[in-house]
Amino acid sequence: MAESTAGKLPTPSPGEATPSHAGFLKNNLRDYGMLLSLVAIMGLFAVLTDGTLLQPLNLTNLLLQNSYIVVMALGMLLVIVAGHIDLSVGSVCGFIGALAAVLMVNFQWHYLPTGLVCIAAGAVIGAAQGWFVAYARIPSFIVTLAGMLVFKGLSLALLQGQSVGPFPVEFQKLSSGFIPELASGSELRITSLVIGLAAAAALGFFSLRGRAQQIKHGMETEPLPFFVGKTIAFVAAIVYLSYVLASYKGLPNVLVVMALLIVVYDFVTRRTTVGRRIYALGGNEKAARLSGIKTERLAFMTFVNMGALAALAGLVFAARLNTATPKAGLGFELDVIAACFIGGASASGGVGKVVGAVVGAFVMGVMNNGMSILGVGIDYQQVIKGLVLLAAVFIDVYNKNK
């Protein structure tokens, strides 16, 4: 009798991807595509600029220039995942910078209470807008568009149409300072290098532990070749960046703040009940409400969080400029929203990752930086950025319809 083949899986031919590998790659093509796009864009501009892009000074400037965009992108991601949008973040960022300038320069406040008051003010602004969205049921597009106009006008009124500065030296270190060096007598900043190596080792350890936990509980895991390749790539990137920065002035203070925020928000979105509920809210609000999730309160809190992060970004930006201007924050909302969508967030909500938003922010940042080095005019830069954003959203819609 012929041997029965029921229940047996076909053996793939040599070199052919197994169904699990092919299926995983298909379902996560956007994530891997963004990482490869960032590497490709950096490689392209590194060649076109004769290596200037990857010089220690330029990499440091690249991090400083995009720090406030990354900070706001973390908050915007949660708002977008929840199914909303916030167009006011640029104006709120500029308004908080103006408030900090008035308190520190005009009223001689210390920078620590000023920072706390400004972040609290940002949270209150987010709460006000979140109430109209979550409880009054006014579309977030309208509420935050109104907020963009309101806080742009309040910035002008607060500064009386003039620039206010400079700030205390201690406050400037938030954006332009570097972590103190404990060892001396070397061309390398040993403290910064050790911190970078420790961060790389921690990333590798927690990635391995997370995968082991998934396997232990029978959860679907990333295929081993993809996991190993991605982990090695991230660890190598952190080690290389740490070495390059250590050869210049070390790790910027704002990079440490940004890295801590990324770790916290990645943990919240992937490992906590609140994070899962935000994704459920954006995926299907009615189903989330019927399952017992307090959807109004959750949407409200995403706007409070966005306001606080916009305030922090406003402080970072003001510290970098060392002055507050009425036009500060102009157009920031476009870069922040673009970073989230380019990084894989869905325009309809329920989809998006912290790492993707960060990658999207640096895609925009590297493009801006590279085109500026090459002497590309601001007009063509805007055209190219707009086309990249449109392409990212088109791919998302295409994959969803398919």
Side-chain angles (χ1 to χ4, degrees), residues 254-303:
V254 71
L255 175 61
V256 177
V257 174
M258 187 170 64
L260 291 175
L261 286 173
I262 291 171
V263 170
V264 169
Y265 278 83
D266 184 63
F267 177 81
V268 169
T269 55
R270 296 196 302 118
R271 301 297 181 111
T272 67
T273 302
V274 172
R276 289 191 290 270
R277 287 178 175 177
I278 291 175
Y279 283 92
L281 169 63
N284 190 322
E285 183 181 359
K286 184 177 180 180
R289 187 184 301 111
L290 291 175
S291 66
I293 297 175
K294 296 180 179 180
T295 56
E296 291 86 358
R297 186 174 68 180
L298 202 59
F300 173 79
M301 292 308 299
T302 60
F303 279 92

Side-chain angles (χ1 to χ4, degrees), residues 223-241:
L224 186 60
F226 294 103
F227 171 78
V228 171
K230 186 176 73 173
T231 304
I232 291 176
F234 274 117
V235 169
I238 293 175
V239 171
Y240 173 77
L241 181 63

Side-chain angles (χ1 to χ4, degrees), residues 352-372:
K353 295 181 179 179
V354 166
V355 174
V358 174
V359 170
F362 279 108
V363 165
M364 298 291 288
V366 170
M367 289 175 56
N368 287 336
N369 186 266
M371 287 188 291
S372 297

